[in-house]
Amino acid sequence: MIEKIFEACMWKTRFLVLLAVIFGLIGALVLFVVASMDVYGIAKYAYTTIITHAHPENFHEDIVSGIIGAVDLYLIAVVMLIFSFGIYELFISPIDHSQEAKDDSKILSITTLDQLKDKIAKVIVMVLVVNFFQRVLHTQYNGALEMLYFALAVTALAVGLFFLGKVGKH
């Protein structure tokens, strides 16, 4: 009898993950709003700059960097969404609406912890790639060797993304 009570209590503790789900969704919402506000600010800056015929020295780099920064935030928000959906489906219950979706649109459907880790890892790698390119925009190159290092870094990213795309495909 004690064993049954203990197991029942232990089983109910799985609802603790609802904290992670709720705050993960809140975090995703915050990131989506902040990224959208960043894009709005960049659009406003670009519009004002074009209308006033001003052309700051690093105008294009600043615009592209700002947009890439927003994409970075959007990707992190997607990680939070995938995490929240996955944890909910793994510990609480499958989401009914995802069952109605066609097989090709089940991006948020998670059935195993490994599947959740794989999806999150892929998005995190994309965040790192986007972040890398954002930083590269403001890097000063002072010679052929530094350009070679840049080319090697881009090549390494491309090879890594190629192999990452092969993961999970048979």
Side-chain angles (χ1 to χ4, degrees):
M1 182 170 142
I2 294 175
E3 181 181 357
K4 285 188 178 199
I5 293 171
F6 181 74
E7 287 176 0
C9 289
M10 210 165 90
W11 178 247
K12 289 177 183 174
T13 61
R14 77 185 196 285
F15 289 107
L16 287 173
V17 300
L18 285 175
L19 289 171
V21 171
I22 291 166
F23 286 102
L25 290 172
I26 291 170
L29 177 66
V30 167
L31 288 170
F32 279 124
V33 169
V34 169
S36 297
M37 290 176 68
D38 286 354
V39 170
Y40 174 76
I42 293 162
K44 189 173 159 185
Y45 168 65
Y47 177 77
T48 303
T49 302
I50 291 168
I51 292 300
T52 61
H53 299 290
H55 199 72
E57 184 179 340
N58 293 324
F59 178 67
H60 294 107
E61 290 86 358
D62 291 342
I63 296 293
V64 171
S65 179
I67 296 291
I68 290 174
V71 168
D72 203 28
L73 290 177
Y74 284 131
L75 285 171
I76 295 169
V78 168
V79 168
M80 298 300 293
L81 274 180
I82 291 171
F83 173 77
S84 295
F85 275 77
I87 291 296
Y88 185 87
E89 285 198 336
L90 286 175
F91 287 92
I92 307 299
S93 167
I95 297 172
D96 295 333
H97 291 290
S98 70
Q99 304 300 325
E100 298 168 6
K102 293 182 171 91
D103 288 338
D104 57 352
S105 63
K106 289 189 174 185
I107 192 166
L108 295 175
S109 179
I110 309 286
T111 56
T112 67
L113 196 55
D114 283 337
Q115 200 178 33
L116 177 62
K117 286 187 336 186
D118 184 48
K119 287 183 181 191
I120 289 175
K122 286 180 179 179
V123 178
I124 288 174
V125 168
M126 288 309 300
V127 167
L128 294 173
V129 168
V130 168
N131 195 282
F132 171 78
F133 283 112
Q134 183 183 22
R135 293 180 190 280
V136 163
L137 285 174
H138 296 291
T139 302
Q140 300 292 327
Y141 300 102
N142 298 321
L145 187 60
E146 288 180 4
M147 289 298 288
L148 176 66
Y149 290 151
F150 171 68
L152 290 173
V154 170
T155 302
L157 283 172
V159 169
L161 287 174
F162 172 78
F163 285 116
L164 189 64
K166 297 285 185 187
V167 172
K169 294 181 182 173
H170 301 289

